[in-house]
């Protein structure tokens, strides 16, 4: 079997900066937000939108942490960024306004965007003032993204777009959507001829329609493109190479703490509820979950080290997401069996957190690549396909 | 440091592959033969102090040998031998040979029985526990008082009823018990991952060559998913063990790190053996195939030097005791 990374690892471990001061500052910031009632524990996830939170976080330097200063970044290490991200998620902070842009869209634009586009959007993302959405899925294209039908036709000075994206998180708040679309007709190679365009959502011809999810919230949307214009400068890459760009960003998208901390708020509630319980069974079940979480976190940190050194991590990032989301889904089930609570909605208490987690759980193994697609990728890495 | 580990890894791999090219794992004298070769190469003294002729190396170096031991499903209790030789000189013994070693769960629920793998024909059992100030306390028992049984892998083990017999003598060593216990768990976890690595290789090779319904088993999505899941368990355990070893070497290992690493390795053992047996079918369920040597060791090692469910319970108890600062407790 091909090794995903050296084990036992006899190389010198990657040096990591001391982050205890940074953690202290982030926790202080989060404590102020909590004290002001701006964090609702157990009822928020990393898709919860709050522009104000993002602006205040940006003012502290917690967004665009690794980016160059000339784009408003702070030139800190990927490890420090990881630390801030996990502290935000562990606290249940509403990071939805900046999360996608900071994690994925910004770095993608940095790597493959035109200078005009970089100057236009990156400093505003870094300031927490822009929200990005990811426009990949379509009504008839879920896991099979190569079949997307949204298309952009070349016109003078840019592109004109026709099509429809669905299940787009926070599109109703977003300023831009990075849209995977067809810019050349489909050929033998079904992955060729796709492009990624940075689409301004305030343009004429764009309609955003709500899709209410299982928790009863409006976070997902349908986005309809009916002849809207996208400027030339908003093309990522060379055009036609959109598939490569999509796969490049996957290791970053799939290995972060957002893939294993989505129900951490409930785990905290569960642990607190068992304080002083001497029954070994529920305590052991909690230990099993905590051991799993600690191990998956080590996997995410290892992936971070590898990405920072420019080493490949697509295979392990896929594993990290599959295992992490599995844990996120297991936590509500274990909690339901241990806690003396019925899941009831409407309050930020144990019963409310349990209900929220159960209702949110199905999407964890869908968004960012379904479990089945991930397993297929892992199987290929193992030499089985 | 890391050069030594690499050198040990090479030596152990060469020694073991040469050995198993010539001898089978089944024969009565398989373990003694291998142990003799191992001693000639000095591999048993990696953790022994320099003044006792050892390398006085750390967990990383020892893990190179533990990994190869698991990878070859080699007979004999290698992790025990490495640990015994770390304690032999401080205990005034010439070597750790002819002893058995185990850890007593002093701070958890009472574990009445001590299970110790037998080395050679051991006369003494060393039961290690936490003494004052967390130093290592060694209680020495007469092996004649223990019941002799077979481990899952068919090797001799001693089962000692700690409530029924008294120690012959006890020693206090200037060695940290928490570190020793963590090392024992991490070496066992590394041996597990050597064995799961090899089992996955065997499974992958098998499904790529065996055909049913006119195509290789590997072309069936059900088989792909099963092995993808097994490999994922192996990988996450590797990450946890790797980082715990790094932290132990740096002298900042927290209990949660090694406990969770051992728990994950145990889980990997369960999932990988189950998946491998499933894809090998009846072929893997007879002694004709080498697979069982791996499976049986994996099933035993899950509960050696840190019983999986006991470690989970401890992690859970620690987490609940730190409920008000749960997240900082986990990551700081």
């Amino acid at each position: 079997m091909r090794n995903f990374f050296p084990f036992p690892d006899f190389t010198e471990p990657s040096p990591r900066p001391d982050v205890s001061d940074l953690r202290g500052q982030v926790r202080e910031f989060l404590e102020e937000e909590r004290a002001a009632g701006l964090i609702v524990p157990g009822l928020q996830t990393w898709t919860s939108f709050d522009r104000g939170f993002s602006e205040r976080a940006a003012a502290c330097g917690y967004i665009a942490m690794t980016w160059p200063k000339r784009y408003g970044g702070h030139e800190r290490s990927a490890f420090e960024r990881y630390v801030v991200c996990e502290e935000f998620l562990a606290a249940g902070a509403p990071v939805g306004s900046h999360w996608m842009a900071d994690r994925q869209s910004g770095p993608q634009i940095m790597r493959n965007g035109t200078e005009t586009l970089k100057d236009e959007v990156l400093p505003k993302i870094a300031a927490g003032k822009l929200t990005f959405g990811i426009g990949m899925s379509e009504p008839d294209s879920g896991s099979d993204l190569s079949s997307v039908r949204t298309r952009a036709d070349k016109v003078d000075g840019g592109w004109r777009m026709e099509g429809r994206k669905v299940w787009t998180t926070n599109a109703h708040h977003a300023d831009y959507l990075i849209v995977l679309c067809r810019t050349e007709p489909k050929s033998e190679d079904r992955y060729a001829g796709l492009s990624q365009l940075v689409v301004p959502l305030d343009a004429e011809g764009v309609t955003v329609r709500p899709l209410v999810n299982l928790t009863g919230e409006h976070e997902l949307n349908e986005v309809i493109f009916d002849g809207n214009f996208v400027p030339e400068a908003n093309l990522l890459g060379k055009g036609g190479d959109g598939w490569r760009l999509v796969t490049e960003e996957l290791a970053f998208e799939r290995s972060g703490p957002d893939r294993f901390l989505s129900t951490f708020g409930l785990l905290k509630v569960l642990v607190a509820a068992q304080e002083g319980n001497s029954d070994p069974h529920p305590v052991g079940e909690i230990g099993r979950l905590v051991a799993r979480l600690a191990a998956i976190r080590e996997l995410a940190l290892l992936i971070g080290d590898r990405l920072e050194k420019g080493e490949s991590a697509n295979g392990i990032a896929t594993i990290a997401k599959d295992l992490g989301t599995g844990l996120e889904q297991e936590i509500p089930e274990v909690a339901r069996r241990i806690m003396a609570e019925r899941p009831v909605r409407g309050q930020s208490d144990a019963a409310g957190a349990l209900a929220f987690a159960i209702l949110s759980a199905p999407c964890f193994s869908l968004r960012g690549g379904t479990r089945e697609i991930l397993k297929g990728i892992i199987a290929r890495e193992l030499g089985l396909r | 440091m890391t050069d030594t580990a690499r050198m040990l890894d090479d030596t152990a791999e060469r020694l073991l592959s040469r050995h198993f090219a010539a001898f089978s794992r089944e024969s009565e004298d398989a373990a003694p033969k291998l142990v003799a070769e191992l001693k000639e190469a000095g591999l048993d003294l990696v953790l022994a102090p320099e003044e006792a002729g050892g390398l006085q190396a750390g967990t990383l170096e020892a893990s190179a040998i533990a990994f190869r031991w698991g990878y070859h499903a080699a007979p004999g209790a290698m992790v025990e031998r490495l640990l015994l030789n770390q304690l032999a000189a401080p205990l005034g013994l010439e070597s750790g040979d002819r002893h058995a070693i185990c850890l007593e769960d002093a701070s958890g629920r009472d574990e009445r029985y001590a299970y110790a793998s037998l080395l050679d024909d051991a006369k003494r059992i060393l039961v290690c526990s936490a003494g004052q100030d967390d130093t290592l306390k060694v209680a020495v028992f007469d092996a004649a008082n223990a019941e002799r049984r077979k481990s899952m892998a068919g090797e001799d083990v001693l089962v000692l009823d700690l409530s029924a017999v008294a120690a012959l003598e006890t020693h206090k060593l200037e060695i940290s018990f928490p570190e020793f216990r963590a090392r024992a768990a991490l070496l066992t976890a590394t041996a597990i991952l050597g064995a799961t690595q090899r089992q996955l290789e065997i499974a992958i090779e098998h499904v790529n060559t065996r055909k049913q319904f006119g195509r290789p088993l590997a072309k069936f999505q059900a088989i792909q998913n099963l092995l993808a899941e097994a490999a994922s368990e192996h990988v996450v355990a590797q990450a946890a063990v790797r980082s715990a070893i790094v932290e132990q070497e740096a002298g900042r290992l927290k209990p949660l790190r090694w406990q969770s690493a051992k728990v994950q390795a145990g889980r990997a053992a369960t999932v990988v053996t189950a998946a491998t047996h499933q894809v090998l079918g009846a072929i893997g369920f007879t002694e004709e195939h080498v697979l069982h040597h791996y499976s049986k060791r994996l099933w035993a090692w899950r509960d050696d030097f840190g019983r999986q469910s006991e470690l989970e319970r401890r992690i859970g108890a620690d987490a609940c005791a730190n409920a008000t600062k749960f997240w900082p407790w986990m990551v700081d």
Side-chain angles (χ1 to χ4, degrees), chain B:
Chain B
M1 286 287 269
T2 53
D3 286 344
T4 312
R6 242 180 236 119
M7 186 267 292
L8 290 166
D9 185 52
D10 282 351
T11 311
E13 176 56 30
R14 245 181 300 129
L15 189 148
L16 288 162
S17 41
R18 203 168 46 210
H19 178 90
F20 290 116
F23 303 104
S24 93
R25 289 173 182 79
E26 273 84 8
S27 64
E28 274 293 302
D29 56 350
K33 258 195 207 130
L34 186 55
V35 168
E37 293 168 27
L38 178 93
K39 283 187 168 177
E40 207 181 301
L43 289 181
D44 60 329
L45 295 177
V46 169
L47 294 174
E50 274 173 7
E51 57 271 25
L55 279 181
Q56 206 168 321
T59 304
L60 180 67
E61 285 77 10
S63 77
I65 297 168
F67 180 83
R68 291 295 158 194
W69 215 257
Y71 185 81
H72 287 278
M78 191 61 208
V79 169
E80 283 86 341
R81 194 174 290 277
L82 292 168
L83 294 171
L84 273 166
N85 282 328
Q86 181 185 350
L87 303 187
L91 284 169
L93 303 168
E94 214 162 277
S95 85
D97 298 354
R98 300 164 69 87
H99 282 75
I101 186 172
C102 61
L103 302 185
E104 186 192 349
D105 253 332
S107 56
R109 269 180 308 166
D110 266 359
E111 301 246 339
R112 183 173 156 197
Y113 294 99
Y115 297 81
S117 295
L118 189 60
L119 296 188
D120 321 313
D121 55 339
K123 296 288 185 263
R124 296 281 182 267
I125 306 175
L126 309 183
V127 179
C128 304
S129 59
Q132 263 182 349
D133 303 327
D134 269 345
T135 53
L136 181 61
K137 188 174 98 183
V138 180
V140 183
F141 289 84
D142 188 342
N145 288 329
E147 189 189 354
R148 204 166 165 149
R149 298 182 63 166
K150 292 284 182 193
S151 78
M152 301 265 280
E155 300 190 53
D156 291 318
V157 286
L158 298 172
V159 182
L160 183 67
D161 184 346
L162 291 171
S163 70
V165 282
L168 298 171
E169 57 195 55
T170 60
H171 302 264
K172 288 192 171 80
L173 302 182
E174 290 303 305
I175 292 173
S176 152
F177 178 70
E179 274 183 38
F180 187 76
R181 177 166 62 180
R183 166 173 289 171
L186 290 173
L187 292 180
T188 308
T190 309
I192 287 178
L193 294 172
T196 50
Q197 168 89 26
R198 185 68 195 125
Q199 276 214 325
L200 285 166
E201 289 172 2
I202 291 170
I204 289 166
E205 198 191 325
H206 176 78
V207 301
N208 276 326
T209 44
R210 184 168 168 85
K211 286 183 182 166
Q212 292 287 283
F213 304 103
R215 49 184 175 146
L217 294 177
K219 296 296 158 204
F220 293 89
Q221 203 171 37
I223 302 268
Q224 293 173 0
N225 285 3
L226 191 60
L227 290 179
E229 277 169 33
S232 299
E233 292 296 333
H234 172 73
V235 164
V236 70
Q238 280 183 319
V241 172
R242 177 192 167 282
S243 121
I245 291 176
V246 168
E247 290 190 14
Q248 177 160 56
E249 297 284 283
R252 51 177 158 77
L253 181 63
K254 291 170 46 173
L256 172 63
R257 295 281 172 275
W258 71 261
Q259 289 169 345
S260 114
K262 179 66 172 52
V263 165
Q264 292 313 305
R267 179 164 169 163
T270 304
V271 176
V272 172
T273 49
T276 307
H277 275 285
Q278 190 63 29
V279 300
L280 264 88
I283 295 168
F285 196 65
T286 80
E287 291 192 351
E288 310 265 298
H289 196 283
V290 74
L291 192 64
H292 72 103
H293 290 291
Y294 291 91
S295 315
K296 290 170 181 170
R297 282 177 175 76
L298 286 168
W299 291 327
W301 288 340
R302 295 182 295 196
D303 294 324
D304 279 354
F305 294 114
R307 209 157 50 77
Q308 191 178 340
S309 68
E310 172 60 17
L311 291 183
E312 287 172 352
R313 197 197 57 77
R314 283 183 189 212
I315 293 170
D318 278 357
C320 295
N322 289 284
T324 49
K325 48 181 169 68
F326 177 44
W327 174 252
W329 168 78
M330 275 203 75
V331 301
D332 283 354

